Amino acid sequence: EEDPGTGDRRAVAAQTAASGLAVDIRESADGYEVTASVPGVPPDQVEITVLGDRLRIRGERRDDADQRDPDGRWILRERRFGAFERSVT
């Protein structure tokens, strides 16, 4: 996928890696369809705004640490937590 503004694929890949939010964008005769997967985040906690020609999706993935067993320890943690934001033009 290329950055629509610059045609640079690396810019899109870098933004996706930094935000942890990958999107699919489909163009049709009626407009655009944007799909983003945000597992673990309720829809009412995802903010979607459009300002001019820019779409912004942001929210926060919360750590479920309060559900851990106090006697256990992490062996591997790959899931990301914290704020995320992705903008596309």
Side-chain angles (χ1 to χ4, degrees):
E1 175 183 0
E2 294 182 357
D3 181 320
T6 65
D8 185 352
R9 292 175 183 260
R10 293 170 298 185
V12 171
Q15 185 179 26
T16 301
S19 70
L21 182 60
V23 297
D24 296 334
I25 303 172
R26 182 175 181 271
E27 183 178 18
S28 71
D30 296 327
Y32 297 94
E33 178 181 315
V34 179
T35 304
S37 297
V38 287
V41 182
D44 64 335
Q45 293 183 12
V46 177
E47 180 183 329
I48 300 171
T49 56
V50 176
L51 185 58
D53 65 349
R54 180 176 298 269
L55 169 72
R56 182 176 69 184
I57 304 168
R58 69 180 181 175
E60 183 174 357
R61 289 184 188 95
R62 300 188 188 265
D63 188 353
D64 56 359
D66 58 335
Q67 298 175 9
R68 286 188 279 173
D69 177 355
D71 297 325
R73 66 181 182 93
W74 292 109
I75 301 300
L76 177 66
R77 289 197 77 184
E78 294 182 336
R79 296 177 303 146
R80 293 183 178 179
F81 298 99
F84 61 83
E85 182 173 325
R86 179 74 189 267
S87 294
V88 293
T89 54

